Amino acid sequence: MMRIRPALLLAASLFTLATEAAAMSPLPFFQRVERVGLLCAVDAEGGPDADLGDDALCGRAAAVLSGLLASGPAVTALAPNDARIADPGTLLLLVHATLRPDDGQGDGKRLFSVAATLQRSGSVGGAPFFMMPPQALALSGKLEESLLEQALRRLLTPLAKALHATP
């Protein structure tokens, strides 16, 4: 009876290791992410009075990604020069948005686009190409919160899926 217990413990630990290896992303870039840190920049005509600012974009993007990652790494908006940016456990998400008049139409419509890039300090592998395709919206009025959230959800879903596949 005593020999069976160590054998069961060994089998259980091997099963756990096999499950972790199967769940680990094949890309070293996404392995062992402890937190996702966001830095955001908005380039909008209208300056500070525009529909959306850097902090508002980061707050909304952090909320959307946190919802998509319900059981994943912590998501937080970072300030420039934050020490966590260089931490190897941080996956840095740079979110860029532009809001411009839709040139050529002259009808007052605007074009909103949002894109994101990934960076990681000390990562063994580079960031994957074309991870998150940019999103664009044609606007006839103000940028509504629901439209922004939909665009961010479409933008960030591939990242959430990649992070769910890692330990």
Side-chain angles (χ1 to χ4, degrees):
M1 192 65 125
M2 293 305 259
R3 286 190 208 175
I4 294 174
R5 185 173 290 153
L8 287 174
L9 290 174
L10 178 63
S13 65
L14 288 175
F15 177 75
T16 302
L17 288 173
T19 303
E20 285 181 11
M24 186 176 288
S25 172
L27 299 174
F29 186 83
F30 289 112
Q31 294 174 359
R32 294 172 182 77
V33 171
E34 296 170 14
R35 79 193 61 75
V36 178
L38 284 84
L39 290 175
C40 303
V42 176
D43 181 16
E45 288 193 5
D49 296 327
D51 296 21
L52 184 66
D54 298 352
D55 292 339
L57 176 62
C58 259
R60 179 52 44 214
V64 168
L65 187 56
S66 292
L68 292 170
L69 287 176
S71 62
V75 178
T76 187
L78 301 175
N81 299 321
D82 188 308
R84 293 173 290 182
I85 292 171
D87 187 312
T90 299
L91 174 63
L92 187 59
L93 177 65
L94 306 170
V95 181
H96 317 274
T98 60
L99 187 57
R100 296 270 186 248
D102 190 3
D103 293 335
Q105 301 298 324
D107 56 6
K109 290 190 177 186
R110 297 179 302 159
L111 184 64
F112 171 75
S113 61
V114 62
T117 56
L118 301 171
Q119 293 183 1
R120 191 153 179 214
S121 180
S123 175
V124 175
F129 292 112
F130 307 113
M131 176 69 192
M132 298 171 293
Q135 300 297 311
L137 300 169
L139 303 173
S140 55
K142 285 190 73 75
L143 175 60
E144 296 176 20
E145 185 77 19
S146 63
L147 292 175
L148 175 60
E149 187 163 329
Q150 289 171 11
L152 288 170
R153 188 173 298 283
R154 286 191 309 269
L155 179 72
L156 300 175
T157 294
L159 174 60
K161 288 180 181 177
L163 290 171
H164 277 302
T166 61

